[in-house]
Amino acid sequence: MKKIIALTLSAIVLMCCLAGCGAKRDPKYYGKWEATRLEASGESIDNFMGIPVGAIFRFEINEDGKVVWNSAVDNSVIQNANNDLDIRWKETEENRIQFKVTDLSGKTDTQTMEFVYRDGELVVEENDSAIYLSKVDEFTEIDTDLLNSAASAIQNFGITQ
């Protein structure tokens, strides 16, 4: 009888430990997010030379800790836009998450991005600039031919506004 009680208690303790080991993720982050604006040096913009910021910065955050970068820019124009990346997320504290971006090709070091959840938006801030992402049911439709042509011109010819 003592063995049965001991085994039962051990099983309960083990189940509690296993249940507590999973990463806790707030469901408010699950889903599709796309940029609505970029702020830099006190100026707010929603496009680069006609390319909506939402075409470049759009992510799908999954419950399993995986993030999919859904950039509308073709991979042949912007390297690593849609392939060769492993992006994971985790909560670091209340209303803060971190993306860990690993280049699977090994060309660049693993990087992290910190996001703050503020007023229903995810905000990534760096020095005096910030990118604001809003949760969407579906990503905004974008003419990818025009988008890729513009991105190619910017990349190949160094066109600036």
Side-chain angles (χ1 to χ4, degrees):
M1 183 69 164
K2 288 181 183 178
K3 285 184 179 183
I4 293 173
I5 293 173
L7 284 173
T8 303
L9 289 175
S10 296
I12 291 171
V13 170
L14 180 60
M15 287 183 349
C16 290
C17 289
L18 291 175
C21 291
K24 294 179 183 176
R25 296 186 177 94
D26 191 328
K28 71 182 173 193
Y29 300 115
Y30 305 163
K32 297 176 181 178
W33 295 82
E34 83 181 6
T36 55
R37 69 188 183 285
L38 185 143
E39 292 182 358
S41 302
E43 187 178 333
S44 181
I45 61 172
D46 61 4
N47 70 77
F48 298 110
M49 295 182 58
I51 301 173
V53 294
I56 302 166
F57 302 107
R58 47 171 57 176
F59 302 96
E60 186 163 359
I61 299 175
N62 297 314
E63 186 176 343
D64 65 358
K66 183 105 170 114
V67 176
V68 179
W69 183 9
N70 287 297
S71 174
V73 180
D74 189 345
N75 193 35
S76 65
V77 177
I78 304 293
Q79 288 185 334
N80 292 333
N82 293 311
N83 298 319
D84 300 329
L85 294 178
D86 179 53
I87 308 173
R88 303 285 173 168
W89 76 278
K90 68 178 181 179
E91 286 184 73
T92 55
E93 59 185 81
E94 186 175 354
N95 292 321
R96 292 187 178 272
I97 63 172
Q98 178 188 76
F99 283 10
K100 181 180 177 184
V101 183
T102 304
D103 179 358
L104 298 175
S105 70
K107 293 178 185 173
T108 59
D109 293 336
T110 296
Q111 299 177 17
T112 58
M113 295 183 343
E114 305 290 330
F115 291 84
V116 177
Y117 184 81
R118 184 182 312 133
D119 299 324
E121 294 181 301
L122 285 177
V123 183
V124 59
E125 299 171 311
E126 184 71 33
N127 298 324
D128 67 341
S129 63
I131 301 170
Y132 293 81
L133 295 103
S134 293
K135 197 169 195 178
V136 296
D137 292 327
E138 295 298 327
F139 292 122
T140 303
E141 292 216 16
I142 295 170
D143 183 337
T144 55
D145 290 335
L146 288 175
L147 175 67
N148 290 324
S149 295
S152 181
I154 292 167
Q155 182 181 18
N156 293 331
F157 303 107
I159 297 173
T160 59
Q161 283 185 300

